[in-house]
Amino acid sequence: MFTEVKYKVILKGMTSTTEKDILHGISGSASPGEVLALMGPSGCGKTTLLSILGGRINGNIIEGTITYNDEPYNKSLKRRIGFVTQDDVLFAHLTVRETLTYAALLRLPQTMSKQQKEERAMDVIYELGLERCQDTMIGGSFVRGISGGERKRVCIGNEIIINPSLLLLDEPTSGLDSTTALRIVQVLHDIAEAGKTVLTTIHQPSSRLFLKFDKLILLGKGSLLYFGKASEAMAYFQSIGCSPLIAMNPAEFLLDLANGNTNDISIPSELDDRVQTENLGSDTRNEKPTPKDVHEYLVEAYETRVANKEKKKLLAPLPISQDLKATVSSPKREWGASWWQQYSILFWRGLKERRHDYLSWMRITQVIATAFILGLLWWHSGSANPEGQQDQAGLLFFIAVFWGFFPVFTAIFTFPQERAMLKKERAVDMYKLSSYFMARTTSDLPLDLFLPVIFLLIVYFMAGLRQSIKPFFLTMLTVFLSIIAAQGLGLAIGATLMDIKKATTLASVTVMTFMLAGGFFVKGVPLFISWIRYISFNYHTYRLLLKVQYNHVPPSINVSNLDNGAKEVAALIAMIFGYRLLAYVSLRRMQL
């Protein structure tokens, strides 16, 4: 139940700060077994109201009362409220069954076994009619997958898997054809008939869809124009003098009214008299009511004829499902899985989702082709003379740069691309941010370290570097350290900026600077800028690779102060943890 809900936003200008009202005292209610539709033109406040009712927006800019079984909202209600966003936020490379199974493992209570959670996921698949596509990838912009209607049902399945008492949906039929949209609404009715309460925003439903809603809230410019049974909406507006002059879809008629468009709609005599009186003595005496006039008339009519009666009904106690009542009475916050379980589930989910990108034929071909080109250019290069030594130093520096550049520009996309998913899943307390961060940063490692092994197996022996086991494995270990450090830099840049274009620009400048300060191009770096080399992973990686190849670095390479390599290893390890700590702090500050 919600009464007199008001919402405003603060607009900060160059010289002053103003407040803009979005919702003007909206009241309504919904009971178990009912489907309540929020209708109105674009920008009228439907999604804002739905977000407020779902606890997605809070703060001092909200006024009014919102209760769930006569109790205010608290964080423990998150596990009893399902919220389906308008955008289908799903992982493209996971199948339908994998998507719902991971949701079940993370969201269902710890008292359930893994097998019970997996069975619940299958129950939802059959409940939503997804059994035919359960082993098909979700798909996306570049991946062929399931249809739009099936994607929407998967999104609904992600929420009903917890058997919510209250299900909220933001335009679930958007972009779907009428037949598919009707099936989605029928699914919502089936959910409601099971004793659940369903609230959904909808833009312009067909007449068949409209007749399936139990209750209706019609909004116009943030004001309440009608609240009551959907089947009685037409009769109400006819009672205040607004009737369609031609055969019209009821939803189309209501949206025309909410927009203030009176074409093909009769004008109430009271409104017409008011307009004529206001225009008396002017040249626009026969002018039709403006949209503003229509809006004011509809708001006034609702306030005088319906509002008080509906508010009295709201004061009467509403039946609420007992599981919601039990949840409200136990405000303790609970997680569906322990920290370690969250980490394990997210680790394997991340591995399955990203293996297709990391191990794509394009990426594998790129790495193998580069390796063969390097092997041919440095074919059996020798270190017996200064020229050969300088050539090998150039190869080692390129390896340091290549496996510093590659991971950075892969990792910067990590958090910006998953921001919507992270925000959606964190909003319902699916997992802790720390478990997600650890799983996300470690699930990449097996994939990140696969291609360098292939790369080094080709380059190392074709180029004629030290032909023994120890130098080879030390070279591989050095490259691994470089990759993990570079990946940490990419994660930190991406998490700090959360904008792919800005992150790519900053990463380009940073990587170029680290490369130039890496000790190969410029030996005598001025003192006032020489500190850059010490924060460059290219610099430390290059020195370690030289140390591995030459017990005593030849004078022709001109690298000084290279001892046992402990300082370089320590510097790379510090970068590995330091950059990741910065990335985590940045995510935490964003309150995701």
Side-chain angles (χ1 to χ4, degrees), residues 159-357:
E159 299 305 316
I160 68 170
I161 205 158
I162 60 171
N163 195 26
S165 304
L166 177 62
L167 179 63
L168 302 105
L169 306 97
D170 189 10
E171 301 208 17
T173 61
S174 177
L176 304 179
D177 62 79
S178 59
T179 303
T180 306
L182 184 63
R183 184 170 185 180
I184 294 294
V185 173
Q186 187 57 54
V187 167
L188 301 184
H189 257 282
D190 295 340
I191 294 170
E193 287 175 0
K196 311 305 178 187
T197 305
V198 178
L199 276 72
T200 178
T201 64
I202 197 150
H203 183 59
Q204 191 165 350
S206 65
S207 55
R208 289 190 300 172
L209 285 187
F210 181 79
L211 295 174
K212 284 189 171 292
F213 297 123
D214 300 303
K215 283 184 177 178
L216 172 69
I217 284 181
L218 181 64
L219 298 177
K221 297 181 181 178
S223 297
L224 186 59
L225 305 182
Y226 176 80
F227 167 64
K229 292 182 179 179
S231 58
E232 298 175 359
M234 293 291 289
Y236 162 74
F237 284 105
Q238 287 172 358
S239 72
I240 63 173
C242 299
S243 303
L245 299 176
I246 61 173
M248 296 178 70
N249 172 359
E252 187 178 351
F253 165 72
L254 296 176
L255 286 172
D256 277 351
L257 278 177
N259 276 310
N261 177 15
T262 54
N263 294 331
D264 304 320
I265 297 176
S266 64
I267 300 172
S269 57
E270 181 182 342
L271 174 59
D272 189 49
D273 292 342
R274 184 187 304 176
V275 172
Q276 299 303 328
T277 302
E278 290 175 354
N279 294 328
L280 192 62
S282 67
D283 294 333
T284 58
R285 185 169 181 177
N286 295 320
E287 183 178 312
K288 292 179 63 176
T290 65
K292 182 180 179 182
D293 294 329
V294 176
H295 175 76
E296 290 175 352
Y297 175 78
L298 294 176
V299 172
E300 181 182 334
Y302 181 80
E303 286 293 329
T304 55
R305 301 187 185 212
V306 183
N308 290 332
K309 182 175 66 174
E310 290 296 338
K311 287 176 184 176
K312 287 179 180 178
K313 289 182 182 179
L314 293 177
L315 295 176
L318 291 170
I320 300 293
S321 56
Q322 291 301 309
D323 55 349
L324 182 61
K325 182 178 180 180
T327 303
V328 174
S329 62
S330 58
K332 185 180 178 181
R333 191 179 186 182
E334 295 180 4
W335 299 95
S338 66
W339 190 95
W340 178 252
Q341 289 172 332
Q342 291 175 13
Y343 169 80
S344 178
I345 294 166
L346 293 170
F347 178 90
W348 289 109
R349 186 181 76 170
L351 202 60
K352 283 188 175 182
E353 165 61 19
R354 288 181 293 281
R355 65 184 176 183
H356 299 277
D357 288 332

Side-chain angles (χ1 to χ4, degrees), residues 480-497:
F480 284 175
L481 285 174
S482 175
I483 290 171
I484 301 171
Q487 184 192 57
L489 175 64
L491 292 172
I493 292 174
T496 302
L497 298 179

Side-chain angles (χ1 to χ4, degrees), residues 375-414:
L376 292 173
L377 289 174
W378 274 272
W379 178 260
H380 289 179
S381 60
S383 58
N385 55 69
E387 290 79 9
Q389 294 166 358
Q390 288 181 351
D391 285 346
Q392 281 194 349
L395 172 63
L396 296 176
F397 184 74
F398 180 86
I399 292 173
V401 170
F402 184 77
W403 290 111
F405 175 92
F406 212 65
V408 167
F409 284 92
T410 300
I412 58 173
F413 296 101
T414 299

